[in-house]
Amino acid sequence: MGTGTLFAIERTLADDLTASLDSRMTKQGHEVASWLVRADHPDRLAPRLGAVTGTRITIVGADGLVLGDSTEPSTVGRPIGDAWEVSRARRGEVGRAIRHLRDDELLQYLVAVPADLGRVIRLAVPLDDVLETRARMRNRLLVGAGFGFVGCLLLSWIFIRALTRPLQAMTHGAEKLARGDYEVPLPIESGGELGVLARAMNRMTSEVRTRVGELTEQRDLLSVVFGGLVEGVVVVRRDGSVALVNDAAKPMLGDGAGLPAGLAPLVTRALAGEQADEELALVGRAVRASARPLGDPGAIVVLYDVTRLRSLEAVRREFLSNAAHELRTPVTSISGYAETLLGGGVDLETSQEFLTTIHRNAQRIAALVADLLVLDTLEGRAELVGTRTPISLAQVAGDAARTAKGVTPSAEVEVDVPADVAVLGTRDGLDHIIQNLIDNAIKYGNDTRVTVRAQRIGKRVQLAVSDRGPGIPDGHEDRVFERFYRLDAGRSRDQGGSGLGLAIVKSQIEAIGGRVWVEQARPGARFIVELDAA
């Protein structure tokens, strides 16, 4: 497009130059014609006028012969020959032509004008000056165009730089915004539409930052709530894959990547738009599962671990059964003997025996109720146990051994407790614990030999009470601390046991910050109590 423009300008200027030359030569031709009217001797007039006009002047007569020539006088009297411009001038018009007058001459620009008496005045100018002028003009146009092009490039670069710099800044800011960096303000000093765009993007950035902050806060809150739920929550997608699962649900789902087989029917019903509730056995746990549809996202399953609840229900039933069993015999005995006494006809000696039996069974019921109250105090209101203080373990163990020998003179209780060993606890609690363990070892051992030993291990003290009885069968080590649990129920009742002694011991130890367990001694059993060292 630029080359075409230059060509058009060059052609226009060349045409203007040619038109100016033509106008000048035509005017000069008419002036020469007016001179020829007032003067004779055209052969002498032509050279003088040619010098004045700076052109080659040829005067042609009406007969076609050359009357005068400013450049070649020798042509005077010769015919002009085939000259188109001269023929046109004879018809009263201005004739123009561009051609060579001779083969050894340069190209000439010819203008012929009519004169009086049928004569013709022809002026000729070499075109080399015109061509040279056109070449200089063309070169100047090219140089000017080159400078103009460089100037345009420079101005364009400055303009584009001014235009692209804020665009680059906004692009850079938009990229940071896409990466989550909302703290980069965009330049707003640009005018026009760029400034409007920058201000709009800044407002959008501020709005996005606010919205993202709110969403992040809600997500964090939801994550905390979701993770802190006691119930297990599982969100399932439409394809059956697990989308979300909280920590409480993981133990109930096992180690598998998907859902347990037991949950599949409930999830299928929930994905179909139904509500499903069922109690299942998952990974060895009793679980109450509740599945609900979530619409397009899928379904949600809430899992309630009812293993402990079912265990507590079983313990409750067992406790009620044991308590009723323990109370049935003394209550039946009291009721039967009381009815007999109320019926009369019983002698004094028999009445005394019946009353003694009633009293003994009443004491048995009272002891059972007292033990239950102790358990209630230890497990339900542990703060009533008292404040722990340093207590010499050797003194408590010695007192318990002497008390046991007083009740059972045949008992052999060996106490091996260092005098410097002290624990944190309460005196009443430790008396009850050690006394109960020694009495239990004497009562259920095959003989009456009992060993009491203690040692300090780091910041803890372990007290071991061992007997030489039949021991505890494998698998029953934990159950012996349950309420009313007895390995030999008949023997326990004959010896006055209620099945609550070891349960009270465990609760008492835990209330003062310790723990207790039983080990096989082969023969016998070894009960170990671990307490904080003073």
Side-chain angles (χ1 to χ4, degrees), residues 387-448:
T387 304
R388 297 192 308 170
T389 58
I391 297 174
S392 174
L393 198 58
Q395 182 179 356
V396 177
D399 291 345
R402 286 188 291 272
T403 300
K405 288 179 68 66
V407 176
T408 309
S410 61
E412 297 180 11
V413 182
E414 178 186 352
V415 178
D416 183 12
V417 179
D420 60 344
V421 175
V423 297
L424 290 175
T426 62
R427 180 57 190 259
D428 291 342
L430 288 174
D431 282 341
H432 190 209
I433 292 168
I434 299 175
Q435 188 69 63
N436 204 322
L437 290 176
I438 292 175
D439 291 344
N440 192 72
I442 294 173
K443 186 183 301 182
Y444 296 105
N446 285 334
D447 55 28
T448 55

Side-chain angles (χ1 to χ4, degrees), residues 33-115:
S34 63
W35 272 93
L36 187 60
V37 173
R38 298 189 301 270
D40 293 327
H41 307 289
D43 56 334
R44 294 194 296 270
L45 180 63
R48 292 198 300 270
L49 293 177
V52 173
T53 60
T55 63
R56 178 180 176 176
I57 297 177
T58 301
I59 302 174
V60 182
D63 55 1
L65 298 178
V66 177
L67 301 178
D69 193 302
S70 63
T71 303
E72 296 183 10
S74 60
T75 60
V76 175
R78 296 179 182 180
I80 192 64
D82 187 12
W84 180 84
E85 70 279 1
V86 174
S87 300
R88 190 175 182 84
R90 289 186 190 280
R91 295 195 297 268
E93 301 176 3
V94 178
R96 300 176 179 85
I98 298 176
R99 59 187 174 85
H100 293 280
L101 295 178
R102 291 188 316 184
D103 294 338
D104 57 350
E105 280 186 338
L106 297 174
L107 193 65
Q108 302 287 321
Y109 186 80
L110 305 174
V111 175
V113 297

Side-chain angles (χ1 to χ4, degrees), residues 22 92 148 151 293 342 534:
D22 180 82
L342 290 174

Side-chain angles (χ1 to χ4, degrees), residues 171-182 184:
T171 302
H172 184 63
E175 291 175 351
K176 287 191 172 183
L177 178 62
R179 293 194 299 267
D181 185 1
Y182 308 107
V184 181

Side-chain angles (χ1 to χ4, degrees), residues 129-246:
D129 293 337
V130 176
L131 296 176
E132 183 179 353
T133 301
R134 289 180 61 181
R136 288 196 304 271
M137 181 177 60
R138 186 184 306 112
N139 293 335
R140 289 171 182 171
L141 283 173
L142 290 174
V143 172
F147 279 112
F149 181 71
V150 172
C152 288
L153 287 179
L154 181 61
L155 291 176
S156 299
W157 181 82
I158 294 174
F159 176 75
I160 292 174
R161 182 69 175 171
L163 182 65
T164 57
R165 183 177 296 176
L167 286 177
Q168 290 175 348
M170 284 186 283
T171 302
H172 184 63
E175 291 175 351
K176 287 191 172 183
L177 178 62
R179 293 194 299 267
D181 185 1
Y182 308 107
E183 302 299 330
V184 181
L186 299 178
I188 60 175
E189 63 272 7
S190 301
E193 298 296 330
L194 291 179
V196 174
L197 178 60
R199 286 188 288 272
M201 290 187 68
N202 279 332
R203 289 193 298 269
M204 180 189 70
T205 301
S206 177
E207 188 68 19
V208 170
R209 180 170 58 247
T210 302
R211 293 292 178 266
V212 169
E214 293 176 354
L215 291 176
T216 302
E217 183 179 355
Q218 293 178 3
R219 181 202 63 190
D220 294 341
L221 178 60
L222 180 61
S223 177
V224 171
V225 173
F226 185 74
L229 289 175
V230 177
E231 296 81 5
V233 179
V234 183
V235 178
V236 184
R237 300 187 183 94
R238 280 286 171 185
D239 58 1
S241 60
V242 177
L244 289 175
V245 57
N246 66 347

Side-chain angles (χ1 to χ4, degrees), residues 318 406 449:
E318 185 178 1
R449 285 181 295 174

Side-chain angles (χ1 to χ4, degrees), residues 275-293:
Q275 297 184 1
D277 298 278
E278 189 174 343
E279 187 167 322
L280 308 169
L282 300 177
V283 197
R285 298 169 180 263
V287 177
R288 182 70 180 176
S290 178
R292 297 291 185 271

